[in-house]
Amino acid sequence: MSYTLKLRIWRGDKDGGAVEDFPVEVSEGEVVLDAIHRVQATQAGDLAVRWNCKAGKCGSCSAEVNGRPRLMCMCRLSDFEEDETITVTPMRTFPVIRDLVTDVSFNYEKAKELPSFAPPPRDADGKRRMAQVDVERGQEFRKCIECFLCQNVCHVVRDHEDNKEAFAGPRFFLRYAELDMHPLDTHDRRELAQGAAGLGMCNITKCCTEVCPEGIHITDNAIIPMKERVVDKKFDPLVWLGNKIGIRNKDNDGRTEV
Amino acid sequence: MTSPGRAHIEARTLREDRWWLQPLTTFVVFSAFVVYATVRAFMGRDYYASPYLSPFYSPCLGDCVEGASDFGQPFGWWPLSAALIILIFPLGFRMTCYYYRKSYYRAFWLSPPACGVAEPHSAYSGETRFPLVLQNVHRYFWYAAVLVGLVLTYDVLLAFRPMPAEYAVGDGETSGVHMGLGTLLMIANVVFIWLYTLSCHSCRHVVGGRLRHFSKHPVRYRLWTWVSRLNTSHGRWAWYSLFSVALVDLYVFLLATGTIQDVRFF
């Protein structure tokens, strides 16, 4: 069962571009990336598209399909009507290089600003130990494939280019939360998360969670817990008092602020 | 959206689905609730139909009608409606709630109206400045909400009291334990209120989320897993409890004004 898909693709570079029509033959069971590849093979050999695994695990083929941030390889054509027009554009938050390929180096710059995991000295036998229940807590965050769809959809930088300097974005709040919950980490990143990373800019409208192809509950399990941890550190006088008089548990002992 | 270097696309969104439906629904329902709650809170009457007390007026600490004040009247001098004394707590709890924030930022402030739809504002500072930095006091409103929840639970117990003679519709109905439709509505309401209160993100943090070593705190870890399970439906409980609290108040209002009679089971 094949049919002609009414496909539109944004073509251009940083100097300008436009959406062009590419009617293309597609078959049952195919995804948007298959259609893009067929256009590249039969109609526009110079169409630029970044892809790799075709299995939703490498995070390369991020784009916007009918205005919604998606991995093209995980976007089934069967989710659309056969007579529906599908418009594919590059991610709109990052500078475009050409056609569907964007420059996502903003994210790597933000990654560099995040102090990495700092474990304590090893135990006497040369090992470090964590209980299984503590290991499990961070597993959800490790599922991130760095497709940067959450960074792309976040209105803080999508709609306000000027915020990019002061805002790390949901992917890195995920990392801040993961490290802050890590029982072996010796850094306290709460001030940094609120200050340099701009956690306070997030107004928890949950678009990052909506677009995550890995189904990570970025807002509920990372950003909000991290916001609550920042409240502990910066805004809650009872926590401050509890720490002063020593009735809070010693869960944060041994950590140094970065 | 159209910053230099980005793909030049004029449209604010290329979404073709009905993305506006959800924020519009939220806007209409929340606005309707705010109007209804404001009118009822300022009315200062028809909030008690023995044995039912409207949740908007509970606990009734002002100059309340006879039988409505189960915790005394320490604010008896208060010249305005008694609801205004206590509504600040549930109102503050919901205004600073992480779920409601998402909803009203989207529906009322259009920041953003929906995912992938550009917001109309030229500048944005999120929750970093006054007044929105005050959203960080959410956990204090949660502490208050727990107390309010306890009071509403007590109200449900009181709703099993015998009705006064003038409400009786048959012989013998004023003696012993009573249960009517109002009691049932109040039970449903208090269940939703507790589900909403206990599924709160601040509750999740307080009971165990703030820990770094679950393994050293097995009881708190267990509590955290329970709250986490509830928390996945926090938005649903927020809506259900919003409707139930308004419904109970409306029912009490209709009883108190004599518009309807309580449906009595025993």
Side-chain angles (χ1 to χ4, degrees):
Chain A
M1 275 279 286
S2 65
Y3 65 96
T4 302
L5 172 70
K6 287 184 263 182
L7 183 64
R8 300 168 76 220
I9 305 171
W10 190 90
R11 299 211 62 193
D13 56 25
K14 63 182 171 53
D15 297 321
V19 172
E20 296 177 17
D21 289 307
F22 291 96
V24 60
E25 201 75 1
V26 294
S27 304
E28 194 178 6
E30 289 192 321
V31 294
V32 169
L33 186 59
D34 293 324
I36 296 283
H37 278 156
R38 192 157 299 123
V39 168
Q40 197 182 43
T42 60
Q43 301 177 47
D46 61 341
L47 174 67
V49 55
R50 187 186 280 137
W51 64 281
N52 191 7
C53 76
K54 295 176 80 175
K57 286 295 163 198
C58 73
S60 301
C61 63
S62 302
E64 299 190 11
V65 180
N66 282 357
R68 307 184 83 144
R70 303 285 298 267
L71 290 180
M72 287 189 285
C73 70
M74 300 302 285
C75 188
R76 291 182 177 278
L77 293 175
S78 58
D79 291 344
F80 302 87
E81 300 296 328
E82 288 189 4
D83 59 351
E84 195 174 341
T85 301
I86 295 181
T87 305
V88 183
T89 64
M91 290 192 283
R92 295 179 68 175
T93 301
F94 307 120
V96 67
I97 297 174
R98 195 158 70 86
D99 301 339
L100 300 178
V101 178
T102 51
D103 175 2
V104 293
S105 53
F106 161 76
N107 302 292
Y108 301 121
E109 294 303 318
K110 292 298 169 186
K112 276 191 237 169
E113 293 170 10
L114 204 163
S116 56
F117 177 56
R122 293 175 186 277
D123 295 342
D125 58 1
K127 294 179 179 174
R128 293 193 178 93
R129 288 175 172 79
M130 281 173 70
Q132 182 60 27
V133 69
D134 293 324
V135 173
E136 284 165 4
R137 189 179 196 184
Q139 287 305 301
E140 180 187 14
F141 307 144
R142 307 295 295 179
K143 283 165 47 184
C144 176
I145 58 174
E146 298 215 307
C147 61
F148 302 129
L149 287 177
C150 58
Q151 302 283 88
N152 171 55
V153 80
C154 181
H155 71 111
V156 178
V157 285
R158 184 181 176 94
D159 298 341
H160 306 280
E161 179 74 20
D162 53 318
N163 283 339
K164 277 188 175 172
E165 197 175 330
F167 187 71
R171 191 275 168 267
F172 298 102
F173 297 146
L174 192 77
R175 181 71 177 147
Y176 272 103
E178 181 193 349
L179 291 172
D180 209 72
M181 293 169 187
H182 200 299
L184 292 184
D185 189 49
T186 57
H187 282 162
D188 182 353
R189 297 174 180 74
R190 289 176 293 180
E191 288 278 359
L192 196 66
Q194 182 73 0
L199 183 65
M201 307 267 277
C202 168
N203 69 346
I204 48 163
T205 37
K206 268 194 162 174
C207 288
C208 50
T209 305
E210 277 189 28
V211 303
C212 180
E214 282 294 313
I216 304 170
H217 296 96
I218 304 172
T219 318
D220 286 322
N221 289 349
I223 296 180
I224 294 175
M226 200 58 213
K227 276 184 174 256
E228 287 291 319
R229 283 161 183 259
V230 168
V231 174
D232 279 348
K233 177 86 178 180
K234 284 181 69 83
F235 300 112
D236 189 339
L238 281 183
V239 172
W240 175 84
L241 185 65
N243 282 327
K244 276 284 176 209
I245 61 179
I247 58 169
R248 295 274 291 185
N249 67 49
K250 304 292 180 275
D251 215 43
N252 283 314
D253 281 4
R255 292 206 297 176
T256 51
E257 196 165 310
V258 288
Chain B
M1 286 289 284
T2 53
S3 304
R6 300 190 189 188
H8 187 75
I9 301 167
E10 283 294 339
R12 288 179 62 232
T13 183
L14 293 173
R15 283 181 66 165
E16 292 171 350
D17 57 328
R18 289 186 292 173
W19 57 263
W20 42 268
L21 189 60
Q22 196 175 10
L24 181 66
T25 307
T26 307
F27 180 84
V28 170
V29 175
F30 283 9
S31 299
F33 179 84
V34 167
V35 169
Y36 175 80
T38 305
V39 169
R40 284 293 289 140
F42 277 90
M43 274 175 88
R45 59 183 168 82
D46 303 326
Y47 51 82
Y48 183 68
S50 183
Y52 309 132
L53 174 61
S54 161
F56 288 167
Y57 286 79
S58 180
C60 213
L61 303 176
D63 184 18
C64 302
V65 297
E66 191 182 344
S69 297
D70 295 307
F71 298 91
Q73 297 187 345
F75 296 90
W77 48 269
W78 178 257
L80 302 173
S81 164
L84 303 178
I85 302 168
I86 50 103
L87 267 189
I88 182 72
F89 298 109
L91 179 72
F93 184 48
R94 288 183 190 251
M95 286 296 285
T96 59
C97 161
Y98 287 100
Y99 171 76
Y100 278 101
R101 272 146 78 181
K102 171 206 158 189
S103 299
Y104 66 71
Y105 283 140
R106 282 193 186 196
F108 287 80
W109 194 239
L110 308 177
S111 177
C115 303
V117 181
E119 60 178 273
H121 313 289
S122 58
Y124 173 87
S125 60
E127 298 179 338
T128 56
R129 298 181 193 161
F130 182 84
L132 292 183
V133 73
L134 293 178
Q135 304 279 28
N136 290 305
V137 304
H138 184 50
R139 61 181 60 174
Y140 284 90
F141 282 114
W142 178 74
Y143 301 144
V146 170
L147 294 178
V148 171
L150 290 171
V151 170
L152 293 181
T153 309
Y154 183 59
D155 285 344
V156 169
L157 296 179
L158 296 182
F160 283 98
R161 281 184 301 189
M163 306 258 290
E166 60 265 33
Y167 285 97
V169 291
D171 288 340
E173 288 195 339
T174 57
S175 61
V177 174
H178 146 271
M179 186 173 176
L181 181 57
T183 321
L184 209 59
L185 290 175
M186 287 177 78
I187 292 171
N189 179 49
V190 86
V191 167
F192 289 137
I193 292 280
W194 274 120
L195 284 170
Y196 173 61
T197 307
L198 294 178
S199 64
C200 164
H201 292 84
S202 286
C203 171
R204 190 179 180 217
H205 177 76
V206 169
V207 300
R210 70 180 181 81
L211 299 171
R212 297 173 65 218
H213 304 82
F214 279 156
S215 49
K216 292 183 183 171
H217 306 274
V219 175
R220 294 185 69 177
Y221 170 64
R222 182 55 58 89
L223 287 172
W224 179 82
T225 58
W226 289 343
V227 173
S228 296
R229 215 171 297 153
L230 288 178
N231 179 260
T232 56
S233 303
H234 190 50
R236 180 182 305 156
W237 310 133
W239 279 85
Y240 288 0
S241 57
L242 193 74
F243 285 124
S244 67
V245 81
L247 187 63
V248 171
D249 175 77
L250 179 65
Y251 191 77
V252 172
F253 172 73
L254 294 175
L255 283 181
T257 51
T259 313
I260 59 170
Q261 290 283 323
D262 189 24
V263 178
R264 299 191 54 183
F265 306 134
F266 54 83

